[in-house]
Amino acid sequence: MKKTIKIKTNLLAGTVMGLFSVIMLLIMPTQVRLPMWDSGAPSPRIIPGICLVGILICSIILLVQSLVFHKEHIYEFVWENERKELLLIGALVVFVALTKTLGFIPAGILIFCAIQWYEGERKPLIYIYTLAMVVIVYFLFQNVFHVDLPAGILKGII
Amino acid sequence: MGYFDYITSAFAAVFTLGNLAFIFGGMLMGMVIGCIPGLSVTLGIILFLPLTYGIKDPSTAIISLLAVYVGGMYGGSISAITLNTPGTNSAIATTFDGYPLAKKGRVLQALDTSLFASSFGGIVGALLLLVLAAPIAAFVSKFTSVEYFSMAVLGISLLAGVSGNSLPKGILSGLFGILIACIGVDAVTGVSRFTFGVSILQFGIDMLPAMIALVALKQVVGKLAEFKVNGGKMEDANKIDKKGLSLSEAKSILPATALSTIIASFIGAMPGVGGGVAQFLCYNQAKQLSKHPEKFGKGSLEGIAAAESSNNAVVGSAMIPLMTMGIPGDGVTALLLGAFILHGMQPGPNMFTKQALQAYTIIVGCFVANLFLWPLGKVMTRAVAKVVQVKYTYLAPAIMLFCFAGAFAGTGNFKEMVFCAVLLVFSYLLKIMEIDAIPLLLGLILAKIMETNFVTAMMSYDRDYFIFFKRPISLIILVITVLLVWSMIRINKKVDALNEVQAEEINKMHNDLEAQEAC
């Protein structure tokens, strides 16, 4: 049987977002400095301040709902399933990192072929298709939309 | 130029070869994306958005996105009928009768009914937009920055109030979006906000990578993970036969189609409701007024017509609050608002004075897209339905590559891809906390409008923070905000309960049908 963790989302959201808003409110004076002179405009801290106070109030409401009224929304966290999604997200983060160093085409080929392997694809055709898609998207953006995606190590060749 | 001059010029502007090509291309893409279960119309719009960068005329760009919206709404019914899995949320009610009819071997009849009803609903919704947009915009044009700020509050509150399963989480999400939009250099005072010394944060976070990561990539990753969990199994789709909808059958579904269109047009024009709610209300109403309510859930043509005419009618009517007041009616129109801004247009009454021809061209374009849905659907449905059977591992890499390339194309800077990756990780956290990302996106999109009008109002009224409650129209808008959020939550709860009861009944009927088949 798959291991399931029942996450109380009201409690989690209230705690995480509440802490976030308190920390941000505390550091706001260092992160949003007041202008040197009065231009007549309202302070640049007003809108972020209202948002942070609003987030804090919503977080408190969520915590009260969860802890006092026991009103909860449960998220069933099945590690076996979530792991797959997390791995895919991780692969895309690595893709972005590799695009910076290797370029869009090499990073795309490496990561998306790895994703195909992970998804259980073993036939050569799908790898040829994936490779072709990476190259097509690159040249589509370069020649049709006039956007040069990072060429990386292929700079000067393509 | 008068109203009719604008309409005439708009028709002339829409009926160019280029515009028609974009309309057909957009609708086709919408149909394809819409018919793939798990991929929504919003994803279709986000994928198509980078393609519109090269278009010089902003109205053409928006028309092509509207065409994706129109095509996607119909496309959702294809998988609902052939697979019993709605391609989009707005096609859930279509499965109630579409699938049983398909099981009886009458797939084409079900698809034809869906196409007929979608086209009918879409055309009426677009006509409503054409008629009502100008007078509403004329009324709203009297607003000052105070009222505009209150309108932005109304927009975010409504979407926050009706999204997801919790009001505090919806509001929290919307506020978080505004906060993210505050990152970077403040345009009025020149002060850096929440940059933490990171240089790429100086220019703020654009809405495009946020849209891509929080909607498109999130959906595709989720779907790909699900594909892996299911071991790559695909469900068998019902094959399309040759017997379509006859003229007499079309006449028989006309009352249900017309009724649903009227109800959905009214609902769609209310900010914050959208097609998801409209379909259930219309389906239920059509069932109550039908001469054969016993056939509902067993393959009733009226049932399909009611569900499908409603979701396409919403396309036009949801554009009314967006174009006249700058308030999106649902998640899709929230993204369209972002697209308007990216193309240098600000929906609202000023658009009908400063960019009047473009505004009317967009409205006429929406009407024309709905007009062409019928012929395009007749020709392309059979081919598009085959996409349902394409393995997800073929679609996902293409979509994801396009997403990252599209994000990069926004400014041509690598930081957009970095934001995409970071926001994708963040979207997973939101999922675990069950916080809907759509209010966040709307907050991000509307933040600039809100802050600009807030600053203008403060400077005009000597930093009087209570001015929003002192000016009568602004006060009325704020009161309406509270009343609407409250009533929308109540309506949504009722519809959810109704939906649950209906879905249970329908599932039971579907199970009986399958059991009979097995025997």
Side-chain angles (χ1 to χ4, degrees):
Chain A
M1 194 166 159
K2 288 176 180 175
K3 195 182 173 189
T4 308
I5 303 166
K6 288 188 174 173
I7 297 175
K8 292 179 176 178
T9 61
N10 283 359
L11 183 66
L12 180 70
T15 311
V16 172
M17 300 310 271
L19 278 174
F20 167 82
S21 57
V22 169
I23 294 168
M24 292 297 272
L25 279 167
L26 288 174
I27 63 168
M28 190 145 76
T30 59
Q31 283 303 314
V32 188
R33 294 189 187 281
L34 293 174
M36 301 292 279
W37 62 87
D38 186 2
S39 63
S43 162
R45 287 181 192 167
I46 282 205
I47 295 281
I50 291 171
C51 291
L52 286 169
V53 171
I55 292 172
L56 183 60
I57 292 169
C58 290
S59 303
I60 293 168
I61 293 171
L62 286 169
L63 286 172
V64 170
Q65 278 184 346
S66 173
L67 298 171
V68 181
F69 298 105
H70 303 289
K71 190 182 166 195
E72 263 300 351
H73 292 107
I74 303 291
Y75 180 83
E76 295 204 346
F77 187 94
V78 183
W79 172 243
E80 272 299 296
N81 299 347
E82 300 294 335
R83 189 175 56 112
K84 293 173 176 72
E85 193 168 340
L86 283 168
L87 271 169
L88 286 167
I89 292 172
L92 292 179
V93 173
V94 175
F95 164 69
V96 172
L98 286 179
T99 301
K100 178 79 177 163
T101 50
L102 299 178
F104 188 83
I105 293 180
I109 292 170
L110 271 173
I111 296 299
F112 287 98
C113 286
I115 288 175
Q116 296 290 22
W117 183 268
Y118 176 69
E119 288 288 328
E121 296 292 350
R122 297 292 180 268
K123 289 179 183 166
L125 181 69
I126 200 156
Y127 291 93
I128 297 166
Y129 162 81
T130 307
L131 196 145
M133 277 317 301
V134 176
V135 176
I136 287 169
V137 169
Y138 183 88
F139 285 106
L140 181 78
F141 273 79
Q142 189 181 55
N143 298 309
V144 180
F145 308 130
H146 308 292
V147 174
D148 287 322
L149 293 164
I153 54 170
L154 297 178
K155 200 170 187 180
I157 302 169
I158 51 173
Chain B
M1 274 172 92
Y3 176 73
F4 288 103
D5 297 324
Y6 278 123
I7 298 289
T8 315
S9 307
F11 267 100
V14 170
F15 279 94
T16 61
L17 204 61
N19 275 342
L20 292 177
F22 274 110
I23 287 174
F24 279 109
M27 280 205 289
L28 198 59
M29 182 162 167
M31 279 166 69
V32 170
I33 296 285
C35 86
I36 301 169
L39 302 188
S40 62
V41 179
T42 46
L43 178 102
I45 289 172
I46 289 170
L47 280 181
F48 209 77
L49 191 55
L51 298 180
T52 63
Y53 286 158
I55 302 172
K56 282 179 187 165
D57 184 0
S59 52
T60 305
I62 301 298
I63 289 170
S64 61
L65 296 173
L66 278 171
V68 176
Y69 190 5
V70 172
M73 282 297 199
Y74 164 63
S77 71
I78 298 174
S79 56
I81 291 165
T82 58
L83 273 180
N84 196 25
T85 312
T88 58
N89 281 343
S90 306
I92 295 172
T94 313
T95 60
F96 295 173
D97 287 285
Y99 185 66
L101 197 60
K103 273 285 168 200
K104 290 176 189 167
R106 285 147 67 191
V107 181
L108 189 62
Q109 195 182 29
L111 287 170
D112 272 359
T113 306
S114 160
L115 182 60
F116 172 76
S118 296
S119 305
F120 185 94
I123 290 169
V124 174
L127 276 175
L128 206 68
L129 171 68
L130 199 62
V131 174
L132 292 181
I136 295 174
F139 171 71
V140 180
S141 64
K142 288 165 188 142
F143 288 8
T144 64
S145 55
V146 176
E147 284 78 25
Y148 275 124
F149 174 80
S150 302
M151 289 294 286
V153 172
L154 168 71
I156 293 177
S157 309
L158 280 178
L159 213 52
V162 296
S163 302
N165 53 18
S166 159
L167 178 65
K169 282 184 190 172
I171 296 172
L172 190 149
S173 176
L175 291 170
F176 202 87
I178 303 171
L179 189 70
I180 292 178
C182 291
I183 295 172
V185 176
D186 176 29
V188 183
T189 55
V191 170
S192 286
R193 297 192 288 194
F194 302 113
T195 55
F196 297 95
V198 181
S199 60
I200 58 168
L201 288 178
Q202 288 284 339
F203 301 99
I205 298 174
D206 279 340
M207 63 181 92
L208 188 65
M211 284 182 192
I212 287 174
L214 296 173
V215 179
L217 283 172
K218 183 185 157 195
Q219 270 182 43
V220 182
V221 168
K223 183 80 185 153
L224 203 54
E226 196 186 304
F227 184 80
K228 174 80 177 162
V229 171
N230 294 336
K233 281 179 199 156
M234 303 278 290
E235 280 182 57
D236 287 333
N238 290 299
K239 288 205 168 61
I240 301 176
D241 58 324
K242 286 182 179 169
K243 190 183 174 293
L245 186 75
S246 68
L247 194 64
S248 59
E249 284 164 340
K251 277 182 191 167
S252 73
I253 59 167
L254 208 53
T257 309
L259 175 75
S260 295
T261 301
I262 294 164
I263 298 172
S265 298
F266 176 70
I267 293 170
M270 291 160 75
V273 188
V277 175
Q279 58 174 335
F280 293 112
L281 285 177
C282 292
Y283 183 85
N284 196 45
Q285 206 60 39
K287 188 179 174 181
Q288 282 177 3
L289 296 175
S290 170
K291 286 176 188 166
H292 303 285
E294 75 284 355
K295 287 184 181 171
F296 276 66
K298 296 172 187 168
S300 161
L301 291 180
E302 284 177 295
I304 302 172
E308 277 304 304
S309 55
S310 67
N311 61 33
N312 271 67
V314 165
V315 175
S317 57
M319 291 296 289
I320 296 173
L322 175 67
M323 291 198 68
T324 57
M325 296 180 267
I327 294 179
D330 56 9
V332 185
T333 38
L335 293 180
L336 283 172
L337 172 62
F340 269 99
I341 296 167
L342 284 171
H343 280 284
M345 285 191 286
Q346 182 58 59
N350 285 343
M351 199 166 79
F352 287 84
T353 49
K354 290 177 185 166
Q355 295 165 308
L357 185 57
Q358 283 181 336
Y360 286 106
T361 306
I362 290 166
I363 294 172
V364 171
C366 179
F367 172 73
V368 172
N370 278 296
L371 207 61
F372 286 140
L373 180 63
W374 169 258
L376 187 76
K378 284 300 280 178
V379 176
M380 296 305 298
T381 298
R382 207 174 275 273
V384 170
K386 287 181 180 154
V387 178
V388 174
Q389 291 287 277
V390 174
K391 275 181 93 173
Y392 205 68
T393 40
Y394 279 92
L395 296 167
I399 296 172
M400 289 195 282
L401 282 163
F402 212 84
C403 282
F404 279 109
F408 182 90
T411 58
N413 196 315
F414 183 73
K415 76 178 170 77
E416 309 299 353
M417 284 176 80
V418 176
F419 286 146
C420 251
V422 173
L423 288 168
L424 180 62
V425 176
F426 180 64
S427 77
Y428 183 78
L429 293 176
L430 289 180
K431 185 189 125 179
I432 297 292
M433 293 189 281
E434 289 193 335
I435 294 176
D436 193 3
I438 294 293
L440 189 151
L441 274 180
L442 188 63
L444 189 64
I445 293 164
L446 283 179
K448 200 180 165 197
I449 305 167
M450 272 182 95
E451 194 163 15
T452 308
N453 285 304
F454 178 76
V455 169
T456 313
M458 286 301 100
M459 290 173 93
S460 309
Y461 294 94
D462 200 22
R463 294 189 208 177
D464 180 1
Y465 293 112
F466 293 100
I467 190 67
F468 305 105
F469 302 99
K470 285 179 183 168
R471 283 182 62 92
I473 296 179
S474 172
L475 180 66
I476 290 169
I477 294 168
L478 293 173
V479 171
I480 287 173
T481 304
V482 177
L483 290 175
L484 274 179
V485 170
W486 180 71
S487 58
M488 286 305 144
I489 291 168
R490 280 175 62 95
I491 290 173
N492 272 10
K493 273 187 183 167
K494 275 187 186 171
V495 172
D496 281 346
L498 183 74
N499 176 17
E500 241 171 62
V501 173
Q502 275 188 163
E504 264 175 35
E505 270 177 32
I506 302 286
N507 274 340
K508 197 171 169 285
M509 281 185 201
H510 286 194
N511 290 339
D512 291 348
L513 197 76
E514 273 165 11
Q516 276 173 13
E517 253 183 25
C519 287

